Amino acid sequence: MDQLNVKEQQEFQKLVEQKQMKDFMNLYSNLVSRCFDDCVNDFTSANLTTKESTCISKCSEKFLKHSERVGQRFQEQNALLMQNLQKR
Amino acid sequence: MDQLNVKEQQEFQKLVEQKQMKDFMNLYSNLVSRCFDDCVNDFTSANLTTKESTCISKCSEKFLKHSERVGQRFQEQNALLMQNLQKR
Amino acid sequence: MDQLNVKEQQEFQKLVEQKQMKDFMNLYSNLVSRCFDDCVNDFTSANLTTKESTCISKCSEKFLKHSERVGQRFQEQNALLMQNLQKR
Amino acid sequence: MFGLGGAAPQVSSQQKLQAAEAELDMVTGMFNQLVSQCHNKCINKSYSESDVNKQEALCLDRCVSKYFETNVQVGENMQKLGQSGAFMGRQ
Amino acid sequence: MFGLGGAAPQVSSQQKLQAAEAELDMVTGMFNQLVSQCHNKCINKSYSESDVNKQEALCLDRCVSKYFETNVQVGENMQKLGQSGAFMGRQ
Amino acid sequence: MFGLGGAAPQVSSQQKLQAAEAELDMVTGMFNQLVSQCHNKCINKSYSESDVNKQEALCLDRCVSKYFETNVQVGENMQKLGQSGAFMGRQ
């Protein structure tokens, strides 16, 4: 990214912010898909059963904790990778 | 959406129209993928067998009817959800 | 595509070039995902085993050869399809 | 749609439109997901008929209904978790 | 590509380019799908060799060929169903 | 990020920004893939608890680490194959 000048960096920053809402919505819909897929498999009624509802609740909390942890590791590994590339 | 003024609504409308072709193409390629995956699994010849061809025909018609029904329910549920949110 | 005039064709050409980097990155991340999924399934250590590393190496080379072949056939079939459509 | 969007004082037209577009893309994406997931859960893949039969239709209706309930519940869960400060700065 | 695009009298340059872009994205998307699906159907995942062997290559060629046939057939089916008025307003 | 981008003399601001955007999209896409793949490989889907337990956490850390190693190795493989001229013009 160090090839961008100041003005370009500002433009790029705007782009990043623009994408953040998208990223959040992406996370959200991935979470819904995942927990719906893993927890809801009984279609004998139109409403969630208590069991399904409990499953969804645990699944979504766990998914958020999961993606938070993966996000932290991702940033660490990415920083490490950048360091190694600059050493070359 | 009610936070957009008239001019913004028009802009948004344009955007929606712009996306419609994309949506249609999306539906189309999902359909091809789905029916190809479910119906074509014999690679002893380069052309579709009669059995595969019949399967694709039924699969694609069924997929369209399926997504039409899901679309109707989706709109109903969405309208219901909006109503409930406005009551709050 | 023959409905575009010269100026539009130039615009379109720009668009195509713009997308090429995206396509390459797409190929790259599909490759990483595929080979990671198929080759890495042991999480008793934080580093790739020799076996995993060999698998990734073969998997990635094979994936490139695979997508190259599919690309050639795709172009041939597409050219054939265009010919048939123009004959009508 | 989905009640997202919220109140944001003093944002430009461009920002509002970008938010609206992001929301539109999400709703479209969710619809496509729904079509795909309910197909997996309800449609018989032997394709002996081209119609969605009664049993499949009933399953689809319930599938959509349960998907919306899931969606609402997940939204509520996320808000609760966000308020409890259990997560990042996301939310 | 795929013969979509059709005749649309009096559309602006911008609209034509948007349609062309949507079509380009679809063709790219379909190619990626094809790569993924034919990999699933033809390639041995034990990766004992880095070459696509003869049997796999033959399978791939047929896979692409059948995919195009499927594509054409689905297009024809959709047109027929559209004309019969069996569907929405889509199409 | 990922060390892509490389040296390109005399490119316009617009081109640089487009390249940066493409790279950002790729990193985001890869992160999403990583979240999904490590979930599949490490997280117990019975959801008897809402916490990521110790064993799962350890698995996730290693999963991310191995994913990055895979990423670097694939990049090196592709460069080697590109230089050997074994492939198209791609690369």
Side-chain angles (χ1 to χ4, degrees), chain D residues 47-66:
Chain D
Y47 301 115
S48 51
E49 47 186 0
S50 57
D51 282 322
V52 170
N53 68 36
K54 274 206 175 161
Q55 205 192 326
E56 290 169 329
L58 193 58
C59 178
L60 287 179
D61 294 352
R62 289 167 174 169
C63 184
V64 177
S65 165
K66 286 197 168 199

Side-chain angles (χ1 to χ4, degrees), chain F residues 43-76:
Chain F
I43 302 293
N44 186 326
K45 272 147 209 74
S46 66
Y47 301 113
S48 52
E49 46 185 1
S50 57
D51 282 323
V52 171
N53 67 38
K54 273 204 177 163
Q55 203 193 326
E56 290 169 329
L58 192 60
C59 178
L60 287 180
D61 294 352
R62 289 167 174 170
C63 184
V64 177
S65 165
K66 286 197 169 198
Y67 185 85
F68 267 78
E69 257 195 78
T70 303
N71 195 28
V72 169
Q73 197 195 311
V74 166
E76 288 170 355

Side-chain angles (χ1 to χ4, degrees), chain C residues 15-28, chain F residues 4-6 8 15-16 18-23 26:
Chain C
L15 206 79
V16 170
E17 281 158 28
Q18 222 175 285
K19 304 236 172 201
Q20 266 163 358
M21 171 159 280
K22 238 183 178 164
D23 288 347
F24 174 74
M25 290 183 174
N26 234 323
L27 175 78
Y28 184 76
Chain F
L4 287 158
Q15 282 174 312
K16 276 157 80 180
Q18 274 166 2
E21 185 180 4
E23 202 178 317
M26 188 189 65

